């Protein structure tokens, strides 16, 4: 069997698929999912001896409709919530200090600064919410990725401090 493709190249479009067609624009493939990488994301507690503020190290993967990692220009909006154990929605009250953190990766240089080519993920360091006389051991983190095209993807992850 011989396949003939026009000089412009071939494009795979699934026929009869209810999962959707390949999302491909003039700029290339577009993300269809945002994944918070649980195995890499963790809380780094405040170090009182070195006066280092607490933080959350997180890795985010954008994937196309085939599940492959890809880069995309857009904005990442993080919200940090108190963790509600054994609840259908683990997001409790949003922290008032450092509860919302935003990263604008619409410029190529900013986008590249957060890209980790080894893991194929975006890497972010978030400020840990300030809680008087305590540090959260577990929090609920929500990320929203949005692009200028109107695309909006969300993900939620429960983040725990490593022991």
């Amino acid at each position: 069997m011989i396949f003939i493709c026009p000089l412009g190249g071939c494009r795979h479009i699934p026929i009869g698929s209810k999962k959707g067609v390949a999302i491909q624009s003039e700029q290339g493939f577009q993300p269809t999912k945002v994944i918070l990488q649980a195995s890499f994301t963790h809380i780094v507690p405040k170090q009182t001896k070195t006066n280092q503020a607490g933080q959350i190290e997180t890795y985010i993967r954008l994937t196309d409709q085939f599940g492959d990692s890809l880069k995309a220009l857009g904005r990442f909006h993080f919200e940090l919530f108190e963790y509600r154990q054994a609840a259908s929605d683990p997001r409790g009250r949003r922290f008032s200090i450092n509860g919302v953190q935003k990263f604008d990766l619409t410029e190529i240089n900013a986008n590249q600064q957060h890209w980790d080519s080894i893991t194929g993920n975006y890497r972010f360091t978030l400020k840990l919410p300030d809680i008087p006389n305590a540090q959260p051991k577990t929090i609920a983190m929500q990320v929203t990725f949005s692009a200028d095209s109107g695309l909006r993807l969300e993900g939620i992850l429960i983040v725990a401090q490593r022991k």
Side-chain angles (χ1 to χ4, degrees):
M1 185 174 225
I2 299 175
F3 292 93
I4 301 173
C5 295
L7 293 176
C10 295
R11 184 184 307 178
H12 172 70
I13 300 176
I15 298 173
S17 172
K18 295 194 179 201
K19 293 183 179 179
V21 258
I23 299 174
Q24 186 175 10
S25 67
E26 295 295 322
Q27 295 81 29
F29 288 102
Q30 298 295 312
T32 59
K33 193 173 189 181
V34 61
I35 302 169
L36 292 109
Q37 301 288 42
S39 57
F40 298 130
T41 300
H42 63 280
I43 295 173
V44 179
K46 180 179 180 179
Q47 303 295 323
T48 53
K49 291 181 181 178
T50 61
N51 203 23
Q52 181 183 357
Q55 46 188 284
I56 301 169
E57 291 181 4
T58 185
Y59 287 77
I60 309 292
R61 176 171 292 202
L62 295 175
T63 62
D64 63 13
Q65 69 274 10
F66 303 111
D68 296 326
S69 294
L70 73 152
K71 295 179 184 179
L73 298 177
R75 293 167 189 82
F76 287 88
H77 177 96
F78 292 89
E79 293 182 77
L80 305 175
F81 300 89
E82 292 177 354
Y83 173 61
R84 292 190 316 170
Q85 191 171 1
S88 60
D89 184 354
R91 295 171 295 178
R93 184 181 60 84
R94 187 173 68 197
F95 292 105
S96 58
I97 299 173
N98 298 329
V100 175
Q101 298 176 49
K102 300 176 183 182
F103 296 86
D104 186 345
L105 303 187
T106 55
E107 298 294 325
I108 291 174
N109 288 339
N111 194 290
Q112 192 61 25
Q113 285 177 344
H114 288 277
W115 181 254
D116 182 343
S117 59
I118 294 172
T119 63
N121 293 287
Y122 285 101
R123 181 180 184 275
F124 298 96
T125 301
L126 306 175
K127 296 176 184 174
L128 195 61
D130 291 330
I131 301 173
N133 303 322
Q135 288 190 25
K137 303 265 188 237
T138 306
I139 64 167
M141 179 172 63
Q142 177 178 318
V143 65
T144 303
F145 172 79
S146 58
D148 289 340
S149 66
L151 174 71
R152 181 182 162 106
L153 303 170
E154 293 183 347
I156 298 175
L157 178 68
I158 306 308
V159 184
Q161 181 176 320
R162 291 183 179 165
K163 296 181 182 199

